[in-house]
Amino acid sequence: MEFWLIDGNGRQKLRLPVPPPNYLNETGQDVYIQEINDLGEHSTKGDAKLDRTTLKSFFPSVYYPFCQYKNFPKPYEFVEIINVWVHNDLPMRLLITETNINKLFFIEDFSYGERAGSRDVEFELSLIEYRSIPKKKSNSSGTTTTSSRSEKTPSKPKTHTVVKGDTLWAIARNYYNDPYKWDEIAKANDVKDPRKLQIGKVLRLP
C-alpha cells in the first residue's frame, strides 16, 4: 500500500517514505431526527457530509529498512512543500493504492515536530474533502427577472488585471463560477507557473 500526495496541478507528487500504520476515512450524511406524538422518533436523510481523513507518520532523516523507497527528500523539504499546499487555493489529491481513496482534499491542519535525537520529523495531516458548488440552473422560461424594469445583462469583461493576492483559481471562480476553468485562463495567456502571477499583468479571459 502506497500513500501519494499530489498537488492541485498534478505536477508535484510526494510519496510518503514511511506509510502510516493505519488510516481512517470518515464519511456519512446528515440524519434529522423528529419526534412525533404517539409515534416516537422518526429519521430522515439529509445531505452527504464531506469525507475527512487523518494521516500520522514521520519523515525520516535517514533510510531505514522499513522505508518503502530510497533517495527521498529531506524531512524539512517535505514540510516546506506541504506548507505551500496548505496556503494554496487548489485542493490536493490523496491517493492510497489498493484502496478506493483517490480524491481531492483541502488540508485543514498540518502539524509536525522532531523526534528526540533522531532528526526525524513526525507529522499529522488532517484532510477534508473538496466538493465544488453545483452550477445554478437557469429557469425554464430562459429569462431572469432582476427588477421591475427590463435591463440588459452586462457583458462579461474580456480581460482581468492581476492585483496582489490574485490566483487563477479565484479569478476563474469569480468570472465563470467554476474554479476549474483556471487551466483555460492559464493556456490562453501562456502562464507557465499559475502560483506566480505578475501584478499588473492583463489576462485575457477566453
PDB file of all heavy atoms in Angstrom, residues 37-53:
ATOM      1  N   ASN A  37     -45.734  12.888  18.074  1.00  0.00           N
ATOM      2  CA  ASN A  37     -46.614  12.459  19.166  1.00  0.00           C
ATOM      3  C   ASN A  37     -47.214  11.081  18.885  1.00  0.00           C
ATOM      4  O   ASN A  37     -47.730  10.822  17.795  1.00  0.00           O
ATOM      5  CB  ASN A  37     -47.746  13.469  19.365  1.00  0.00           C
ATOM      6  CG  ASN A  37     -47.235  14.778  19.949  1.00  0.00           C
ATOM      7  OD1 ASN A  37     -46.161  14.810  20.535  1.00  0.00           O
ATOM      8  ND2 ASN A  37     -47.996  15.845  19.783  1.00  0.00           N
ATOM      9  N   ASP A  38     -47.147  10.201  19.892  1.00  0.00           N
ATOM     10  CA  ASP A  38     -47.713   8.847  19.851  1.00  0.00           C
ATOM     11  C   ASP A  38     -47.022   7.916  18.853  1.00  0.00           C
ATOM     12  O   ASP A  38     -47.375   6.747  18.761  1.00  0.00           O
ATOM     13  CB  ASP A  38     -49.223   8.885  19.527  1.00  0.00           C
ATOM     14  CG  ASP A  38     -50.013   9.690  20.547  1.00  0.00           C
ATOM     15  OD1 ASP A  38     -49.626   9.664  21.731  1.00  0.00           O
ATOM     16  OD2 ASP A  38     -51.002  10.338  20.155  1.00  0.00           O
ATOM     17  N   LEU A  39     -46.060   8.439  18.079  1.00  0.00           N
ATOM     18  CA  LEU A  39     -45.379   7.595  17.090  1.00  0.00           C
ATOM     19  C   LEU A  39     -43.900   7.426  17.389  1.00  0.00           C
ATOM     20  O   LEU A  39     -43.228   6.599  16.778  1.00  0.00           O
ATOM     21  CB  LEU A  39     -45.551   8.187  15.680  1.00  0.00           C
ATOM     22  CG  LEU A  39     -46.990   8.238  15.142  1.00  0.00           C
ATOM     23  CD1 LEU A  39     -46.998   8.916  13.781  1.00  0.00           C
ATOM     24  CD2 LEU A  39     -47.580   6.820  15.032  1.00  0.00           C
ATOM     25  N   GLY A  40     -43.381   8.205  18.329  1.00  0.00           N
ATOM     26  CA  GLY A  40     -41.969   8.093  18.683  1.00  0.00           C
ATOM     27  C   GLY A  40     -41.065   8.831  17.708  1.00  0.00           C
ATOM     28  O   GLY A  40     -41.498   9.724  16.972  1.00  0.00           O
ATOM     29  N   GLU A  41     -39.799   8.443  17.696  1.00  0.00           N
ATOM     30  CA  GLU A  41     -38.812   9.123  16.860  1.00  0.00           C
ATOM     31  C   GLU A  41     -38.822   8.579  15.427  1.00  0.00           C
ATOM     32  O   GLU A  41     -38.975   7.387  15.200  1.00  0.00           O
ATOM     33  CB  GLU A  41     -37.413   8.946  17.451  1.00  0.00           C
ATOM     34  CG  GLU A  41     -37.197   9.707  18.752  1.00  0.00           C
ATOM     35  CD  GLU A  41     -35.777   9.595  19.236  1.00  0.00           C
ATOM     36  OE1 GLU A  41     -35.105   8.581  18.909  1.00  0.00           O
ATOM     37  OE2 GLU A  41     -35.330  10.505  19.949  1.00  0.00           O
ATOM     38  N   HIS A  42     -38.635   9.505  14.495  1.00  0.00           N
ATOM     39  CA  HIS A  42     -38.504   9.144  13.081  1.00  0.00           C
ATOM     40  C   HIS A  42     -37.323   9.917  12.505  1.00  0.00           C
ATOM     41  O   HIS A  42     -37.017  11.025  12.941  1.00  0.00           O
ATOM     42  CB  HIS A  42     -39.790   9.471  12.315  1.00  0.00           C
ATOM     43  CG  HIS A  42     -40.922   8.544  12.642  1.00  0.00           C
ATOM     44  ND1 HIS A  42     -41.268   7.472  11.858  1.00  0.00           N
ATOM     45  CD2 HIS A  42     -41.765   8.517  13.704  1.00  0.00           C
ATOM     46  CE1 HIS A  42     -42.293   6.835  12.410  1.00  0.00           C
ATOM     47  NE2 HIS A  42     -42.612   7.462  13.531  1.00  0.00           N
ATOM     48  N   SER A  43     -36.669   9.309  11.535  1.00  0.00           N
ATOM     49  CA  SER A  43     -35.480   9.939  10.952  1.00  0.00           C
ATOM     50  C   SER A  43     -35.662  10.140   9.454  1.00  0.00           C
ATOM     51  O   SER A  43     -36.337   9.358   8.774  1.00  0.00           O
ATOM     52  CB  SER A  43     -34.235   9.084  11.210  1.00  0.00           C
ATOM     53  OG  SER A  43     -34.393   7.793  10.641  1.00  0.00           O
ATOM     54  N   THR A  44     -35.030  11.209   8.959  1.00  0.00           N
ATOM     55  CA  THR A  44     -34.993  11.480   7.515  1.00  0.00           C
ATOM     56  C   THR A  44     -33.557  11.795   7.123  1.00  0.00           C
ATOM     57  O   THR A  44     -32.786  12.349   7.905  1.00  0.00           O
ATOM     58  CB  THR A  44     -35.894  12.665   7.142  1.00  0.00           C
ATOM     59  OG1 THR A  44     -35.517  13.810   7.919  1.00  0.00           O
ATOM     60  CG2 THR A  44     -37.354  12.343   7.383  1.00  0.00           C
ATOM     61  N   LYS A  45     -33.205  11.423   5.906  1.00  0.00           N
ATOM     62  CA  LYS A  45     -31.854  11.654   5.414  1.00  0.00           C
ATOM     63  C   LYS A  45     -31.660  13.109   5.014  1.00  0.00           C
ATOM     64  O   LYS A  45     -32.564  13.750   4.492  1.00  0.00           O
ATOM     65  CB  LYS A  45     -31.566  10.761   4.204  1.00  0.00           C
ATOM     66  CG  LYS A  45     -31.375   9.298   4.542  1.00  0.00           C
ATOM     67  CD  LYS A  45     -30.987   8.525   3.290  1.00  0.00           C
ATOM     68  CE  LYS A  45     -30.736   7.050   3.608  1.00  0.00           C
ATOM     69  NZ  LYS A  45     -30.341   6.314   2.392  1.00  0.00           N
ATOM     70  N   GLY A  46     -30.454  13.612   5.260  1.00  0.00           N
ATOM     71  CA  GLY A  46     -30.081  14.942   4.816  1.00  0.00           C
ATOM     72  C   GLY A  46     -29.015  14.857   3.735  1.00  0.00           C
ATOM     73  O   GLY A  46     -28.913  13.858   3.022  1.00  0.00           O
ATOM     74  N   ASP A  47     -28.217  15.896   3.626  1.00  0.00           N
ATOM     75  CA  ASP A  47     -27.168  15.941   2.607  1.00  0.00           C
ATOM     76  C   ASP A  47     -25.955  15.118   3.034  1.00  0.00           C
ATOM     77  O   ASP A  47     -25.709  14.901   4.222  1.00  0.00           O
ATOM     78  CB  ASP A  47     -26.739  17.393   2.365  1.00  0.00           C
ATOM     79  CG  ASP A  47     -27.870  18.229   1.791  1.00  0.00           C
ATOM     80  OD1 ASP A  47     -28.688  17.669   1.038  1.00  0.00           O
ATOM     81  OD2 ASP A  47     -27.938  19.437   2.097  1.00  0.00           O
ATOM     82  N   ALA A  48     -25.187  14.686   2.048  1.00  0.00           N
ATOM     83  CA  ALA A  48     -23.972  13.927   2.325  1.00  0.00           C
ATOM     84  C   ALA A  48     -22.927  14.825   2.975  1.00  0.00           C
ATOM     85  O   ALA A  48     -22.775  15.993   2.606  1.00  0.00           O
ATOM     86  CB  ALA A  48     -23.415  13.332   1.028  1.00  0.00           C
ATOM     87  N   LYS A  49     -22.226  14.297   3.954  1.00  0.00           N
ATOM     88  CA  LYS A  49     -21.158  15.047   4.607  1.00  0.00           C
ATOM     89  C   LYS A  49     -19.867  14.924   3.803  1.00  0.00           C
ATOM     90  O   LYS A  49     -19.701  14.011   2.989  1.00  0.00           O
ATOM     91  CB  LYS A  49     -20.928  14.512   6.023  1.00  0.00           C
ATOM     92  CG  LYS A  49     -22.076  14.751   6.991  1.00  0.00           C
ATOM     93  CD  LYS A  49     -21.719  14.217   8.377  1.00  0.00           C
ATOM     94  CE  LYS A  49     -22.828  14.492   9.378  1.00  0.00           C
ATOM     95  NZ  LYS A  49     -22.494  13.981  10.735  1.00  0.00           N
ATOM     96  N   LEU A  50     -18.961  15.849   4.048  1.00  0.00           N
ATOM     97  CA  LEU A  50     -17.649  15.784   3.424  1.00  0.00           C
ATOM     98  C   LEU A  50     -16.806  14.713   4.110  1.00  0.00           C
ATOM     99  O   LEU A  50     -16.827  14.586   5.338  1.00  0.00           O
ATOM    100  CB  LEU A  50     -16.941  17.136   3.535  1.00  0.00           C
ATOM    101  CG  LEU A  50     -17.613  18.310   2.818  1.00  0.00           C
ATOM    102  CD1 LEU A  50     -16.916  19.616   3.173  1.00  0.00           C
ATOM    103  CD2 LEU A  50     -17.609  18.101   1.307  1.00  0.00           C
ATOM    104  N   ASP A  51     -16.063  13.950   3.318  1.00  0.00           N
ATOM    105  CA  ASP A  51     -15.158  12.957   3.896  1.00  0.00           C
ATOM    106  C   ASP A  51     -14.023  13.653   4.653  1.00  0.00           C
ATOM    107  O   ASP A  51     -13.567  14.742   4.264  1.00  0.00           O
ATOM    108  CB  ASP A  51     -14.548  12.086   2.799  1.00  0.00           C
ATOM    109  CG  ASP A  51     -15.522  11.036   2.305  1.00  0.00           C
ATOM    110  OD1 ASP A  51     -16.704  11.108   2.665  1.00  0.00           O
ATOM    111  OD2 ASP A  51     -15.094  10.143   1.548  1.00  0.00           O
ATOM    112  N   ARG A  52     -13.568  13.031   5.704  1.00  0.00           N
ATOM    113  CA  ARG A  52     -12.445  13.536   6.488  1.00  0.00           C
ATOM    114  C   ARG A  52     -11.446  12.402   6.712  1.00  0.00           C
ATOM    115  O   ARG A  52     -11.843  11.278   7.002  1.00  0.00           O
ATOM    116  CB  ARG A  52     -12.920  14.107   7.828  1.00  0.00           C
ATOM    117  CG  ARG A  52     -13.641  15.442   7.684  1.00  0.00           C
ATOM    118  CD  ARG A  52     -14.307  15.872   8.985  1.00  0.00           C
ATOM    119  NE  ARG A  52     -14.758  17.237   8.961  1.00  0.00           N
ATOM    120  CZ  ARG A  52     -15.866  17.654   8.356  1.00  0.00           C
ATOM    121  NH1 ARG A  52     -16.638  16.788   7.733  1.00  0.00           N
ATOM    122  NH2 ARG A  52     -16.204  18.930   8.362  1.00  0.00           N
ATOM    123  N   THR A  53     -10.182  12.716   6.573  1.00  0.00           N
ATOM    124  CA  THR A  53      -9.126  11.718   6.721  1.00  0.00           C
ATOM    125  C   THR A  53      -7.959  12.314   7.504  1.00  0.00           C
ATOM    126  O   THR A  53      -7.628  13.488   7.314  1.00  0.00           O
ATOM    127  CB  THR A  53      -8.608  11.248   5.338  1.00  0.00           C
ATOM    128  OG1 THR A  53      -9.677  10.623   4.618  1.00  0.00           O
ATOM    129  CG2 THR A  53      -7.485  10.238   5.486  1.00  0.00           C
TER     130      THR A  53
END
